[in-house]
C-alpha cells in the first residue's frame, strides 16, 4: 500500500438523493397490491362458491351455508353468490332469512328470479300461517307474495304465469 492510508478518502458513487425514487416505488407497490388483493379475493370467493354449490346440490345445506358465508366474506358484492345462498336457504325451508338474502342480491344481480324466489318464500310462509290459523299473518304474507311477483313482472312479463 506504499504509504497510503486505507479509508482516508471519501468515495462517491452517483447521487445520494434517492428519496423520490424510493417514494415512487413504495407508492407503485401499494397501488399494485390493491388490485392484486382483489384478484385473490375474487378467486378465493369463487372457490368457496363452487364448494358451497356442490354441497347444496348434495343437500348438505348447513355445510353449504358455511362456504357461502366464506365466499361472501371475500366478495360480498356478488349478487350471484347471494342468489345461490338464498336458494340453499329456501330449499332447506329457511324462508324468512332467504328473503333477506334474495333482497340483498337484487342490489347488484338484476334478475326477476330474485323476486320470484322471494314470492315463493312469502307464499310458503303464507301457507304455514294459514295452517296455524293465523289469519292476520297469512294475509300479510299473501300481500307480500303478490308484491314480490309484481316486482318480478316489472323485470320480465313471463312471470305473469306465476300470479
Amino acid at each position: 500500500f506504499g504509504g497510503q492510508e486505507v479509508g482516508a478518502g471519501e468515495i462517491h458513487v452517483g447521487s445520494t438523493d434517492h428519496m423520490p425514487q424510493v417514494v415512487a416505488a413504495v407508492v407503485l407497490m401499494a397501488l399494485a397490491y390493491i388490485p392484486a388483493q382483489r384478484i385473490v379475493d375474487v378467486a378465493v370467493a369463487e372457490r368457496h362458491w363452487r364448494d358451497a354449490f356442490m354441497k347444496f346440490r348434495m343437500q348438505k345445506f348447513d355445510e353449504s351455508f358455511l362456504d357461502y358465508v366464506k365466499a361472501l366474506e371475500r366478495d360480498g358484492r356478488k349478487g350471484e353468490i347471494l342468489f345461490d345462498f338464498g336458494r340453499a336457504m329456501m330449499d332447506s325451508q329457511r324462508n324468512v332469512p332467504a328473503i333477506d338474502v334474495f333482497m340483498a342480491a337484487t342490489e347488484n344481480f338484476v334478475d326477476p328470479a330474485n323476486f320470484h324466489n322471494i314470492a315463493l318464500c312469502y307464499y310458503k310462509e303464507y301457507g304455514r300461517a294459514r295452517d296455524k290459523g293465523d289469519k292476520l299473518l297469512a294475509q300479510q304474507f299473501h300481500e307480500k307474495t303478490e308484491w314480490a311477483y309484481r316486482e318480478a313482472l316489472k323485470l320480465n312479463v313471463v312471470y305473469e304465469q306465476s300470479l
Side-chain angles (χ1 to χ4, degrees):
F1 285 80
Q4 282 188 339
E5 197 173 315
V6 176
E10 292 185 29
I11 300 173
H12 294 281
V13 179
S15 172
T16 59
D17 188 22
H18 296 295
M19 192 51 100
Q21 291 90 348
V22 171
V23 170
V26 170
V27 169
L28 284 174
M29 286 189 296
L31 290 175
Y33 172 79
I34 295 167
Q37 185 59 47
R38 178 72 183 132
I39 291 168
V40 169
D41 285 343
V42 168
V44 171
E46 294 279 331
R47 183 180 53 98
H48 287 302
W49 184 19
R50 277 193 309 275
D51 291 347
F53 188 75
M54 294 306 295
K55 291 172 185 172
F56 161 68
R57 300 282 296 178
M58 294 184 299
Q59 296 188 350
K60 295 180 178 182
F61 297 115
D62 291 337
E63 291 179 35
S64 76
F65 296 159
L66 296 174
D67 283 321
Y68 280 121
V69 169
K70 288 177 186 176
L72 291 167
E73 285 172 349
R74 291 299 197 132
D75 192 5
R77 299 175 299 182
K78 188 157 186 138
E80 292 91 335
I81 297 173
L82 288 162
F83 178 83
D84 285 351
F85 188 21
R87 278 288 314 277
M89 293 183 115
M90 181 177 75
D91 288 0
S92 68
Q93 305 308 313
R94 293 170 174 94
N95 297 310
V96 174
I99 292 166
D100 292 336
V101 173
F102 285 125
M103 286 301 294
T106 65
E107 292 178 21
N108 30 15
F109 181 53
V110 180
D111 190 315
N114 281 312
F115 288 108
H116 173 79
N117 288 339
I118 291 167
L120 287 175
C121 290
Y122 279 134
Y123 186 74
K124 291 176 185 179
E125 292 304 308
Y126 157 75
R128 286 183 182 167
R130 185 193 61 217
D131 292 347
K132 288 180 181 178
D134 190 337
K135 292 180 181 181
L136 179 60
L137 187 58
Q139 179 61 33
Q140 290 171 346
F141 280 127
H142 183 15
E143 290 170 5
K144 289 179 178 183
T145 300
E146 287 185 3
W147 166 82
Y149 273 123
R150 293 194 192 296
E151 291 298 310
L153 279 170
K154 289 178 185 175
L155 297 171
N156 188 337
V157 295
V158 168
Y159 283 89
E160 187 171 33
Q161 66 193 0
S162 300
L163 283 176

